[in-house]
Amino acid sequence: MNYYTWRKAKNYFFHSLLSISAVLVLIPLFLVVAYVVYKGISGLSLDFFFNTPKPVGEVGGGMVHAIMGTLYLVALGSLIAVPIGVVCGTFLSEFGDGKIAKSLRVAIDLLTGVPSIVIGIFAYILIVIPFKGFSALAGGIALSLIILPIVTRSTEEILKLVPQHIKEAGLALGLPRWKVTYFIVVKGNLKAILTGVILAISRAAGETAPLLFTAFGNRYVSTELLSPMASLPVQIYNYSISPFDDWQAQAWTGAFVLIFLILGINLTCRTFLNRKKILEKVTRQK
Amino acid sequence: MSQPIISVKDLHIWYNDFHAIKGISIDYLPNTINAIIGPSGCGKSTFVRTLNRIHEEVPGARAQGSIMYMGKNILSSEVDPVDLRRQIGMVFQKPNPFPSMSIFENTVIGLKLQGEKNKSKLMEVAETCLKKAALWDEVKDKLNKPGTSLSGGQQQRLCIARSLAVNPPVLLMDEPTSALDPIATGKIEELMTELKKEYTVIIVTHNMQQAARIADYTSFFILGELIEHGLSSDIFTNPKQKTTEDYITGRFG
Ligand SMILES: Nc1ncnc2c1ncn2[C@@H]1O[C@H](COP(=O)(O)OP(=O)(O)O)[C@@H](O)[C@H]1O
Ligand SMILES: [Mg+2]
């Protein structure tokens, strides 16, 4: 075998290896989605989207309360975490050399690593016990602790990409640093920051553990901040471990809806990213 | 002879322990173009960046000596760098329009963020400055396009317009044409001779023909020291120092 064929063979071998790994990574994703669709799609009905659960034994009913609850809790969590996260991320990227910044960075990293069940326990101790009851507020705060570190780190990483000469150009116009930071650095990268926010939100939307003993769950549509509130993940969890066949079927449908809700959020975020990339391409070509 | 607008005396600049500028003194007269030439790494950028204290953005950079402007040493802590930079503007080597902003926004952003809200006033300033920067005719129909959609030479003229919009009496330019083609360079050189009527320009260039063409005065730096400073006509035809002569005739650097 001469050198050329040997090199071609090696190339072919590693190329196949890469392709196989790519497929291996995709298989679980495909299986999960396919199985959830297979199990859940038959339960889709208007009832599912517009009705609350029926008592045990009666057929029908839906998860409108859990869908609304998930949206409510995620919105509440984002409302708390996104502003703080964006501000922290900006601080870390622009003024990230001091002692405070370094400890903040460590704290944020640790928070990323805290298991979500522990975050649930934390919110339980902090809110549920003093308020003497499960509440949407406790759930929202638990979710905000999931969202906060992701938003902070993604904002920091995005803003770190802003070249020094852009900041200097702003300063050279006689603008105070905070104006350069806010109007040029942050506002100029709002879309990218938003992408990080959406990723964090879609992560939080699928969390069960932080909500199990904070928002807990209920069986009707609620907007009460201080009452328990249902959510898709908890509802799916409760129904799937129930002994009733129709509840288990509804759990599959709930999983189906949740997956597509999150997929939808993610796709929206991709479009944001792509639009930015397309814009960059167009402007570079000219 | 009028009074100098900027008077640099015994200026030393360090990056941590590295002594980058070693005791330079130069007076700059109003409404003149002043070139700084010298081999790469001799401290030209370091020097001009200190004149509006943008050097403070580099951790470990520090300056000693005096730079008198309007009766004050701008290096002293009483002078607020933000106020200073409204007086002494800067154009950078690499064209750097703000990527998220349109041509119009790029031009007036300095004024806008200083609190000017009146739309027609901003439009007026944009037009005046883009005209001064010899860019108006090329962009007047696409003011809402992104600043980064322009060619390199146009971007640099946009950056000049952006600096002019806050109306600084002194304009620093650090190799503003080194990334540009000869035609764009020619446009910017023409522009500078025009600007001299209202502004004092200090320009770093590694292009000696450029200095000879446009500058009234030229300073020649080597390794952080000022070798020679004088009328460009003298420096380029009749240098006093042997090193200067070697450099401008290309036998050095
Ligand atoms: N940020 C910095 N940190 C440390 N040294 C620097 C820095 N910037 C420039 N220098 C050094 O200072 C000297 C002068 O650099 P510079 O002013 O950029 O030169 P020029 O603009 O004439 O090419 C060089 O030796 C360079 O290595
Ligand atoms: Mg330089």
Side-chain angles (χ1 to χ4, degrees), chain B residues 15-16 18 20 38-47 58-59 174-175 204:
Chain B
Y15 291 108
N16 299 309
F18 178 71
S40 286
C42 68
K44 306 181 294 293
S45 297
T46 304
F47 179 80
V58 177
D174 189 356
E175 302 195 23
V204 173

Side-chain angles (χ1 to χ4, degrees), chain A residues 81-94 147-162 185-186 189-190 192-197 200:
Chain A
V82 170
I84 303 177
V86 171
V87 169
C88 279
T90 309
F91 173 74
L92 286 179
S93 127
E94 301 304 297
I147 297 172
L148 179 68
I150 305 176
V151 170
T152 305
R153 284 321 291 260
S154 69
T155 303
E156 180 189 0
E157 294 307 320
I158 286 156
L159 296 189
K160 268 190 184 158
L161 294 179
V162 176
V185 176
V186 175
N189 291 281
L190 220 47
I193 292 175
L194 212 62
T195 307
V197 168

Side-chain angles (χ1 to χ4, degrees), chain A residues 97 164-177 179-180 183-184 187-189 279 283-284 286, chain B residues 49 54 57 82 85-86 90 92 94 96-101 109-110 113-114 145-146 148-149 162 166:
Chain A
D97 299 327
Q164 176 68 17
H165 65 84
I166 289 286
K167 296 171 197 169
E168 285 183 0
L171 292 172
L173 291 173
L175 301 172
R177 185 172 309 273
K179 281 191 182 172
V180 174
F183 290 99
I184 293 171
K187 273 195 144 181
N189 291 281
L279 201 77
T283 51
R284 255 197 228 123
K286 276 195 197 159
Chain B
R49 285 168 59 85
I54 205 89
E57 290 308 298
V82 172
R85 291 172 195 146
R86 290 183 189 183
M90 183 159 204
F92 297 81
K94 200 170 159 242
N96 54 3
F98 300 125
S100 59
M101 296 181 198
I109 185 69
L113 294 186
Q114 285 176 17
K145 290 263 165 63
T148 43
S149 67
R162 178 177 71 186
V166 292

